Amino acid sequence: MLFILTLGQTRPISPKMETLVTLCSLLSLFFVVRADLVGQFEDVPECMEYFHSRKVPEYHMSTSGTVRLCQRFANRYHFATLYDTNRRIAVYSAYIFQPSNGGGRERRWFVEPQLVNQSWQAEMKDGYWLGRDHPGIYLGEKQALNEDYTHSGFDRGHLNPNGHHAVPGRNATFTLTNVVPQNPKLNQNAWRIHESQLTELFRSKCSKVYVLVGAIPSATNWIVKNNVKRVNIPDYLWNAFCCLDNNDKPIQGAAAAARNNADNWVEKFSLDELGEFLQQFSNQPVGELFHNNCMAV
Ligand SMILES: *[C@@H]1O[C@H](CO)[C@@H](O)[C@H](O)[C@H]1NC(C)=O
Ligand SMILES: *[C@@H]1O[C@H](CO)[C@@H](O)[C@H](O)[C@H]1NC(C)=O
Protein backbone atom coordinates (compact mmCIF):
# COMPACT_ATOMS: atom_id res chain seq x y z
CA MET A 1 0.00 0.00 0.00
CA LEU A 2 1.58 3.25 -1.07
CA PHE A 3 -0.53 5.58 0.98
CA ILE A 4 -0.69 5.05 4.68
CA LEU A 5 -3.97 5.94 6.31
CA THR A 6 -3.50 9.05 8.37
CA LEU A 7 -6.27 10.15 10.65
CA GLY A 8 -4.36 12.68 12.75
CA GLN A 9 -5.55 16.20 12.24
CA THR A 10 -2.93 18.84 11.71
CA ARG A 11 -3.01 21.53 14.32
CA PRO A 12 -3.13 25.27 13.85
CA ILE A 13 0.13 27.04 14.63
CA SER A 14 -1.14 28.70 17.75
CA PRO A 15 -4.57 29.49 19.13
CA LYS A 16 -3.71 33.19 19.14
CA MET A 17 -2.85 33.21 15.46
CA GLU A 18 -5.95 31.18 14.68
CA THR A 19 -8.12 33.75 16.46
CA LEU A 20 -6.40 36.54 14.62
CA VAL A 21 -6.95 34.88 11.30
CA THR A 22 -10.60 34.16 12.08
CA LEU A 23 -11.02 37.77 13.11
CA CYS A 24 -9.45 38.90 9.88
CA SER A 25 -11.72 36.69 7.80
CA LEU A 26 -14.73 38.02 9.72
CA LEU A 27 -13.58 41.58 9.18
CA SER A 28 -13.06 40.93 5.48
CA LEU A 29 -16.75 40.09 5.17
CA PHE A 30 -17.51 43.74 5.77
CA PHE A 31 -15.48 44.93 2.83
CA VAL A 32 -16.88 45.03 -0.63
CA VAL A 33 -14.06 43.21 -2.29
CA ARG A 34 -13.75 43.65 -6.01
CA ALA A 35 -10.17 42.59 -6.16
CA ASP A 36 -8.23 39.37 -6.13
CA LEU A 37 -8.43 38.54 -2.44
CA VAL A 38 -12.10 37.69 -2.42
CA GLY A 39 -14.65 36.64 0.18
CA GLN A 40 -15.91 33.98 -2.20
CA PHE A 41 -14.80 32.95 -5.66
CA GLU A 42 -18.37 33.72 -6.69
CA ASP A 43 -17.64 37.43 -6.08
CA VAL A 44 -15.54 37.56 -9.24
CA PRO A 45 -17.30 36.02 -12.25
CA GLU A 46 -14.01 35.68 -14.18
CA CYS A 47 -12.66 33.64 -11.29
CA MET A 48 -15.52 31.15 -11.53
CA GLU A 49 -14.48 30.31 -15.07
CA TYR A 50 -11.61 28.19 -13.72
CA PHE A 51 -14.10 25.73 -12.25
CA HIS A 52 -15.96 23.23 -14.42
CA SER A 53 -19.57 24.45 -14.83
CA ARG A 54 -18.66 27.18 -12.33
CA LYS A 55 -18.86 24.68 -9.49
CA VAL A 56 -16.37 25.44 -6.72
CA PRO A 57 -15.41 22.27 -4.80
CA GLU A 58 -16.59 22.22 -1.21
CA TYR A 59 -13.22 20.75 -0.33
CA HIS A 60 -11.67 22.78 2.50
CA MET A 61 -13.82 25.81 1.70
CA SER A 62 -14.63 26.50 5.35
CA THR A 63 -11.25 25.74 6.88
CA SER A 64 -10.16 28.61 9.09
CA GLY A 65 -7.26 30.66 7.83
CA THR A 66 -7.94 29.86 4.18
CA VAL A 67 -8.46 32.72 1.75
CA ARG A 68 -9.54 32.82 -1.86
CA LEU A 69 -7.24 34.37 -4.41
CA CYS A 70 -8.24 35.25 -7.94
CA GLN A 71 -4.76 35.35 -9.36
CA ARG A 72 -4.34 38.58 -11.23
CA PHE A 73 -1.39 39.56 -13.37
CA ALA A 74 -0.84 41.97 -16.29
CA ASN A 75 -4.34 43.38 -15.94
CA ARG A 76 -6.34 40.16 -16.08
CA TYR A 77 -7.17 37.00 -14.13
CA HIS A 78 -5.33 33.73 -14.79
CA PHE A 79 -6.36 31.14 -12.22
CA ALA A 80 -7.81 30.69 -8.74
CA THR A 81 -6.12 29.57 -5.53
CA LEU A 82 -7.47 28.49 -2.18
CA TYR A 83 -4.66 29.54 0.13
CA ASP A 84 -3.89 28.51 3.70
CA THR A 85 -2.45 31.57 5.44
CA ASN A 86 -1.53 29.57 8.56
CA ARG A 87 0.64 27.06 6.75
CA ARG A 88 1.55 29.50 3.98
CA ILE A 89 0.89 27.00 1.20
CA ALA A 90 -2.04 26.58 -1.15
CA VAL A 91 -4.78 24.05 -0.55
CA TYR A 92 -5.18 23.94 -4.31
CA SER A 93 -4.98 26.00 -7.49
CA ALA A 94 -7.68 25.71 -10.16
CA TYR A 95 -6.97 26.51 -13.80
CA ILE A 96 -7.81 25.85 -17.41
CA PHE A 97 -5.07 24.18 -19.43
CA GLN A 98 -3.58 26.29 -22.22
CA PRO A 99 -1.25 24.86 -24.85
CA SER A 100 2.08 26.53 -24.24
CA ASN A 101 4.01 28.29 -26.95
CA GLY A 102 7.19 27.87 -24.95
CA GLY A 103 8.87 31.10 -24.08
CA GLY A 104 11.25 31.78 -21.26
CA ARG A 105 10.85 31.16 -17.60
CA GLU A 106 9.66 34.06 -15.51
CA ARG A 107 12.57 35.16 -13.37
CA ARG A 108 10.63 37.04 -10.72
CA TRP A 109 8.72 35.50 -7.83
CA PHE A 110 5.49 37.25 -7.01
CA VAL A 111 3.75 37.82 -3.71
CA GLU A 112 0.19 38.86 -3.03
CA PRO A 113 0.04 42.50 -1.91
CA GLN A 114 -3.46 42.05 -0.52
CA LEU A 115 -2.24 39.39 1.89
CA VAL A 116 -0.08 42.10 3.42
CA ASN A 117 -2.69 44.82 3.50
CA GLN A 118 -6.14 44.45 2.00
CA SER A 119 -6.13 47.99 0.72
CA TRP A 120 -3.08 47.34 -1.43
CA GLN A 121 -3.20 46.64 -5.15
CA ALA A 122 -5.05 43.68 -6.55
CA GLU A 123 -2.27 42.26 -8.70
CA MET A 124 0.54 39.94 -7.73
CA LYS A 125 3.77 41.84 -7.47
CA ASP A 126 7.47 41.03 -7.55
CA GLY A 127 8.27 40.46 -3.86
CA TYR A 128 11.55 42.28 -4.19
CA TRP A 129 9.96 45.49 -5.42
CA LEU A 130 7.00 45.32 -3.09
CA GLY A 131 9.46 45.19 -0.20
CA ARG A 132 11.36 48.14 -1.63
CA ASP A 133 8.16 50.13 -1.99
CA HIS A 134 7.13 49.49 1.61
CA PRO A 135 10.26 49.57 3.73
CA GLY A 136 9.77 48.37 7.28
CA ILE A 137 6.62 46.37 6.50
CA TYR A 138 6.95 42.60 6.79
CA LEU A 139 5.36 40.92 3.80
CA GLY A 140 5.42 37.37 5.10
CA GLU A 141 2.86 37.33 7.91
CA LYS A 142 0.25 35.50 5.83
CA GLN A 143 2.28 34.15 2.91
CA ALA A 144 5.56 32.48 2.10
CA LEU A 145 8.41 34.62 0.78
CA ASN A 146 11.29 33.80 -1.49
CA GLU A 147 13.71 33.96 1.43
CA ASP A 148 11.82 31.11 3.12
CA TYR A 149 12.77 28.79 0.28
CA THR A 150 16.41 29.75 -0.13
CA HIS A 151 18.73 27.07 1.32
CA SER A 152 15.69 25.13 2.53
CA GLY A 153 16.54 22.05 0.49
CA PHE A 154 13.13 22.24 -1.19
CA ASP A 155 12.10 23.41 -4.63
CA ARG A 156 9.43 26.02 -5.13
CA GLY A 157 7.15 23.41 -6.66
CA HIS A 158 4.39 24.82 -8.83
CA LEU A 159 0.89 23.53 -8.22
CA ASN A 160 -0.52 25.18 -11.34
CA PRO A 161 2.46 24.41 -13.60
CA ASN A 162 3.96 27.06 -15.87
CA GLY A 163 4.17 24.44 -18.64
CA HIS A 164 0.37 24.29 -18.87
CA HIS A 165 0.08 27.93 -19.96
CA ALA A 166 1.03 30.43 -22.58
CA VAL A 167 2.45 33.84 -21.64
CA PRO A 168 1.26 35.80 -19.66
CA GLY A 169 -0.65 33.08 -17.77
CA ARG A 170 2.66 31.31 -17.62
CA ASN A 171 4.24 34.23 -15.76
CA ALA A 172 1.35 34.34 -13.31
CA THR A 173 2.10 30.81 -12.09
CA PHE A 174 5.26 32.23 -10.51
CA THR A 175 3.42 33.55 -7.53
CA LEU A 176 4.61 32.10 -4.24
CA THR A 177 0.97 31.50 -3.33
CA ASN A 178 0.94 28.84 -6.09
CA VAL A 179 4.03 26.94 -4.96
CA VAL A 180 4.78 24.54 -2.12
CA PRO A 181 8.03 23.15 -0.72
CA GLN A 182 8.52 20.17 -3.00
CA ASN A 183 11.15 17.47 -2.87
CA PRO A 184 13.58 18.44 -5.67
CA LYS A 185 13.78 14.92 -7.05
CA LEU A 186 10.00 14.62 -7.30
CA ASN A 187 9.62 18.10 -8.76
CA GLN A 188 12.29 17.61 -11.40
CA ASN A 189 11.54 14.00 -12.29
CA ALA A 190 8.33 12.06 -11.71
CA TRP A 191 6.03 15.05 -11.16
CA ARG A 192 7.48 16.95 -14.11
CA ILE A 193 7.07 13.89 -16.33
CA HIS A 194 3.51 13.48 -15.09
CA GLU A 195 2.77 17.10 -16.01
CA SER A 196 4.14 16.65 -19.51
CA GLN A 197 2.22 13.40 -20.00
CA LEU A 198 -0.90 15.37 -19.12
CA THR A 199 0.11 18.03 -21.65
CA GLU A 200 0.26 15.37 -24.39
CA LEU A 201 -3.08 13.90 -23.36
CA PHE A 202 -4.77 17.30 -23.12
CA ARG A 203 -3.41 18.46 -26.47
CA SER A 204 -4.40 15.30 -28.30
CA LYS A 205 -7.81 14.59 -26.79
CA CYS A 206 -9.39 17.60 -25.16
CA SER A 207 -10.92 20.78 -26.38
CA LYS A 208 -10.94 22.25 -22.87
CA VAL A 209 -9.50 20.95 -19.60
CA TYR A 210 -10.22 22.00 -16.03
CA VAL A 211 -7.45 21.11 -13.62
CA LEU A 212 -7.09 21.20 -9.85
CA VAL A 213 -3.70 20.75 -8.20
CA GLY A 214 -3.35 20.62 -4.45
CA ALA A 215 -1.11 19.81 -1.53
CA ILE A 216 -1.85 17.90 1.65
CA PRO A 217 -0.05 19.58 4.53
CA SER A 218 2.05 17.62 6.99
CA ALA A 219 1.40 17.61 10.72
CA THR A 220 4.92 18.49 11.78
CA ASN A 221 7.22 19.26 8.86
CA TRP A 222 8.01 22.89 8.25
CA ILE A 223 10.62 25.09 6.70
CA VAL A 224 11.85 26.79 9.86
CA LYS A 225 13.60 30.16 9.74
CA ASN A 226 14.96 31.83 12.89
CA ASN A 227 13.04 29.29 15.00
CA VAL A 228 9.76 30.24 13.33
CA LYS A 229 7.71 27.63 11.51
CA ARG A 230 7.38 29.44 8.23
CA VAL A 231 6.17 27.13 5.48
CA ASN A 232 4.51 23.76 5.87
CA ILE A 233 6.17 20.97 3.90
CA PRO A 234 3.26 19.00 2.45
CA ASP A 235 3.12 15.21 2.69
CA TYR A 236 1.50 14.79 -0.71
CA LEU A 237 0.77 16.59 -3.94
CA TRP A 238 -2.31 15.66 -5.95
CA ASN A 239 -4.00 16.70 -9.14
CA ALA A 240 -7.25 16.04 -10.92
CA PHE A 241 -8.54 16.97 -14.34
CA CYS A 242 -11.75 17.07 -16.31
CA CYS A 243 -11.34 16.95 -20.09
CA LEU A 244 -14.14 18.20 -22.35
CA ASP A 245 -14.84 17.81 -26.04
CA ASN A 246 -15.75 20.72 -28.31
CA ASN A 247 -19.38 20.49 -27.22
CA ASP A 248 -18.27 21.05 -23.63
CA LYS A 249 -19.11 17.43 -22.89
CA PRO A 250 -16.84 15.63 -20.39
CA ILE A 251 -14.93 12.81 -22.05
CA GLN A 252 -12.35 11.90 -19.43
CA GLY A 253 -11.56 12.66 -15.82
CA ALA A 254 -8.66 11.28 -13.82
CA ALA A 255 -6.29 12.09 -11.01
CA ALA A 256 -2.94 11.36 -9.39
CA ALA A 257 -1.07 11.83 -6.16
CA ALA A 258 2.55 11.67 -5.08
CA ARG A 259 4.28 11.46 -1.76
CA ASN A 260 6.45 14.52 -1.36
CA ASN A 261 9.71 12.65 -0.93
CA ALA A 262 12.57 11.14 -2.89
CA ASP A 263 10.53 8.02 -3.73
CA ASN A 264 9.84 10.01 -6.87
CA TRP A 265 6.64 8.13 -7.61
CA VAL A 266 3.30 9.36 -8.97
CA GLU A 267 0.30 7.14 -8.34
CA LYS A 268 -2.49 7.38 -10.94
CA PHE A 269 -6.05 7.45 -9.63
CA SER A 270 -9.61 7.70 -10.86
CA LEU A 271 -11.48 10.77 -9.59
CA ASP A 272 -13.36 8.54 -7.12
CA GLU A 273 -10.14 7.05 -5.82
CA LEU A 274 -8.66 10.51 -5.36
CA GLY A 275 -11.78 11.52 -3.43
CA GLU A 276 -11.27 8.58 -1.06
CA PHE A 277 -7.62 9.38 -0.75
CA LEU A 278 -8.27 13.04 0.13
CA GLN A 279 -11.00 12.04 2.57
CA GLN A 280 -8.40 10.35 4.79
CA PHE A 281 -6.94 13.75 5.58
CA SER A 282 -10.12 15.73 6.00
CA ASN A 283 -12.70 15.88 8.77
CA GLN A 284 -15.23 17.40 6.36
CA PRO A 285 -16.76 15.61 3.38
CA VAL A 286 -14.49 16.09 0.38
CA GLY A 287 -17.40 16.12 -2.05
CA GLU A 288 -17.12 16.33 -5.81
CA LEU A 289 -14.07 18.06 -7.19
CA PHE A 290 -15.79 18.70 -10.52
CA HIS A 291 -19.38 19.31 -11.46
CA ASN A 292 -21.14 15.93 -11.63
CA ASN A 293 -17.75 14.26 -11.02
CA CYS A 294 -16.82 15.09 -14.62
CA MET A 295 -19.37 12.71 -16.08
CA ALA A 296 -21.44 13.29 -19.18
CA VAL A 297 -25.12 13.75 -18.41
C1 LIG B 1 6.67 36.82 -18.94
O1 LIG B 1 7.91 36.14 -18.81
C2 LIG B 1 8.75 36.25 -19.92
C3 LIG B 1 9.95 35.37 -19.70
O2 LIG B 1 10.68 35.78 -18.58
C4 LIG B 1 9.11 37.71 -20.14
O3 LIG B 1 9.94 37.85 -21.28
C5 LIG B 1 7.85 38.53 -20.30
O4 LIG B 1 8.17 39.91 -20.35
C6 LIG B 1 6.89 38.31 -19.13
N1 LIG B 1 5.62 38.95 -19.41
C7 LIG B 1 5.13 39.93 -18.65
C8 LIG B 1 3.80 40.46 -19.06
O5 LIG B 1 5.69 40.34 -17.66
C1 LIG C 1 -2.90 49.52 4.83
O1 LIG C 1 -2.49 50.48 3.90
C2 LIG C 1 -3.16 51.72 4.04
C3 LIG C 1 -2.77 52.59 2.82
O2 LIG C 1 -1.39 52.47 2.57
C4 LIG C 1 -2.78 52.33 5.38
O3 LIG C 1 -3.43 53.56 5.55
C5 LIG C 1 -3.20 51.37 6.50
O4 LIG C 1 -2.75 51.84 7.74
C6 LIG C 1 -2.60 49.98 6.24
N1 LIG C 1 -3.15 49.04 7.20
C7 LIG C 1 -2.39 48.27 7.95
C8 LIG C 1 -3.12 47.32 8.86
O5 LIG C 1 -1.18 48.31 7.92
Side-chain angles (χ1 to χ4, degrees), residues 2 5 23 29 39 48 58 60 92 97 121 125 129-130 146 169 224 238 250-251 276 289 294:
L2 177 66
L5 194 82
L23 204 75
L29 291 176
M48 294 299 285
E58 282 154 38
H60 277 272
Y92 63 73
F97 170 79
Q121 70 174 64
K125 193 148 189 237
W129 284 108
L130 193 66
N146 222 4
V224 176
W238 59 267
I251 46 178
E276 285 167 32
L289 294 176
C294 189

Side-chain angles (χ1 to χ4, degrees), residues 28 33-44 47 67-70 77 114 118:
S28 67
V33 192
R34 290 172 296 110
D36 61 348
L37 177 63
V38 295
Q40 298 180 57
F41 287 127
E42 286 82 351
D43 294 347
V44 176
C47 206
V67 296
R68 290 135 195 82
L69 304 173
C70 296
Y77 295 102
Q114 296 202 325
Q118 268 222 318

